Amino acid sequence: MGRGIRFWCTRTPRESLDRTYSTDTIENKSCVTFNDLRDQVYNEISEHEQVAGVKWKRFAQLNKLLQGHRPGELTVLTGPTGSGKTTFVSEYSLDLCMQGVKTFWGSFEIRNERLAKTMLTQFAGKRLENSIDEFDYWADEFNKLPLYFMTFHGPQSFKQVLQAMRVTSKKYDIEHVVIDNLQFMLGTGENGGQHDRFWQQDIVIGAFRKFCNERNCHVTLVVHPRKEQSEGDLTNSSIFGGVKVTQEADNILILQDRRLTTPKGKKYLQVTKNRFSGDLGMFPIEFDKERLCFSSQRKASSVSAKISDLKFEGL
């Protein structure tokens, strides 16, 4: 080569790449060592009971499987039509709320006054229609719970629901949001085809997952099963929509109703996904029509029983 030609490249491409991304010039924020995680791992081990979450007092068998109710998780509940999903999730959330878990309820299937009546009956442990003179006492005690209700009813725009969740969770430091149910936020736009509904559902589920992570808030979402369900028990694949809902969920609960298939069948609550500990299983639950409860909690016989053993922690 002639003398007039100058070589501008003084390093090999590999050397240039190493220099550009050298840890001497740019801090590596996408990599950590065990030492960075050591304190967090220690807390996970030394405080395993607290990490496991709030324990249910009415559903001891659920504690054995899920260990507890933890912030930042997404729980999906499904079950056949008429199996009692709303009544169950009402008691399931009431149990936690009575322990101080600040709860925001979104019921699109039944009106707030009907939902509140169900929860008040579960709270008192009996139907107040037969003890109307006790209403004020139980209502005053129920009013002490950190419980809030969305004002929506019927099909709703998901954007409105999510906005309500964000505003209320920030204002009241909400720890648990209950949505009953997912289908009421699908198909509210101009396009309501099945494909569009699946696409919408994936967007909604992704937004709920993001909300859980950002707000460190637990969301319990009721989802109906597919209409083409078989005569056997429901499975994760029975849940309406695509696979995203089962992929994003930390916990999946299925209310199995074998009364629909066998004369002496019973209801069972089945845990089919548990990201925290991996424990799966099912246990029978019986519905008490007098108390509107699925738990085996003893009935409240009279106002004299009061609710002295109900602890409203954190209030």
Side-chain angles (χ1 to χ4, degrees):
M1 296 184 181
R3 290 184 180 180
I5 299 178
R6 300 178 62 183
F7 291 89
W8 295 99
C9 183
T10 58
R11 301 184 184 90
T12 65
R14 177 71 262 174
E15 289 173 333
S16 298
L17 187 63
D18 290 342
R19 181 181 178 86
T20 302
Y21 294 97
S22 171
T23 54
D24 294 335
T25 57
I26 298 179
E27 183 181 359
N28 190 347
K29 297 182 179 180
S30 60
C31 178
V32 295
T33 66
F34 175 74
N35 197 52
D36 298 318
L37 303 172
R38 183 170 182 145
D39 290 343
Q40 294 170 277
V41 173
Y42 175 80
N43 291 336
E44 289 270 343
I45 296 173
S46 63
E47 301 177 11
H48 62 280
E49 282 296 325
Q50 289 80 359
V51 172
V54 179
K55 302 294 191 295
W56 287 272
K57 292 188 176 181
R58 298 183 179 218
F59 301 101
Q61 291 169 302
L62 191 57
N63 290 327
K64 293 179 181 179
L65 296 173
L66 292 182
Q67 310 302 318
H69 182 271
R70 292 167 293 277
E73 291 191 349
L74 175 63
T75 293
V76 169
L77 170 69
T78 193
T81 300
S83 61
K85 295 186 294 296
T86 299
T87 305
F88 169 78
V89 77
S90 169
E91 185 180 12
Y92 154 101
S93 62
L94 174 64
D95 187 332
L96 299 167
C97 191
M98 289 169 63
Q99 299 180 66
V101 177
K102 298 176 183 178
T103 304
F104 188 32
W105 244 96
S107 174
F108 309 135
E109 287 200 78
I110 62 174
R111 295 188 180 279
N112 284 335
E113 55 268 29
R114 184 64 60 85
L115 172 62
K117 177 187 173 183
T118 297
M119 298 183 81
L120 180 62
T121 301
Q122 294 171 334
F123 180 76
K126 59 182 176 180
R127 289 184 180 273
L128 295 176
E129 291 92 330
N130 303 322
S131 308
I132 194 64
D133 57 316
E134 298 179 15
F135 174 80
D136 286 337
Y137 169 78
W138 290 110
D140 288 344
E141 294 298 329
F142 187 79
N143 195 47
K144 296 177 183 178
L145 297 177
L147 179 62
Y148 309 87
F149 300 92
M150 292 186 192
T151 56
F152 306 130
H153 180 69
Q156 297 296 326
S157 163
F158 171 65
K159 291 182 179 180
Q160 287 183 304
V161 174
L162 186 60
Q163 179 65 12
M165 290 167 57
R166 287 171 174 165
V167 171
T168 306
S169 65
K170 184 176 181 180
K171 182 176 180 180
Y172 297 108
D173 195 24
I174 296 298
E175 300 165 283
H176 187 199
V177 176
V178 182
I179 299 294
D180 183 19
N181 66 66
L182 174 67
Q183 274 80 355
F184 275 83
M185 291 177 287
L186 304 179
T188 57
E190 296 180 358
N191 299 319
Q194 190 80 334
H195 176 75
D196 295 316
R197 285 169 66 86
F198 284 1
W199 176 75
Q200 278 186 310
Q201 177 170 310
D202 286 352
I203 294 176
V204 172
I205 293 298
F208 276 138
R209 175 76 270 173
K210 184 178 180 181
F211 174 84
C212 292
N213 295 341
E214 292 181 347
R215 297 297 305 171
N216 197 31
C217 178
H218 193 119
V219 173
T220 296
L221 179 63
V222 179
V223 185
H224 284 318
R226 299 175 185 271
K227 291 183 179 180
E228 62 271 16
Q229 63 190 66
S230 63
E231 293 184 355
D233 286 348
L234 298 178
T235 65
N236 290 357
S237 60
S238 304
I239 298 175
F240 177 85
V243 298
K244 189 174 182 65
V245 63
T246 56
Q247 289 176 338
E248 294 289 359
D250 295 289
N251 314 295
I252 297 179
L253 310 181
I254 301 180
L255 195 57
Q256 305 283 10
D257 193 349
R258 293 181 179 173
R259 300 175 309 163
L260 303 176
T261 56
T262 58
K264 296 183 179 181
K266 296 183 178 181
K267 289 185 180 181
Y268 293 83
L269 185 66
Q270 183 176 14
V271 177
T272 59
K273 184 176 182 180
N274 177 2
R275 188 167 278 161
F276 180 76
S277 66
D279 295 326
L280 307 178
M282 64 192 302
F283 54 90
I285 53 176
E286 295 185 9
F287 181 64
D288 186 332
K289 192 173 182 179
E290 174 66 19
R291 299 183 300 120
L292 301 182
C293 289
F294 283 99
S295 65
S296 57
Q297 180 177 306
R298 183 168 53 87
K299 294 182 181 180
S301 57
S302 66
V303 175
S304 60
K306 305 290 184 182
I307 46 176
S308 57
D309 43 334
L310 300 181
K311 298 179 181 179
F312 302 102
E313 301 173 6
L315 298 182

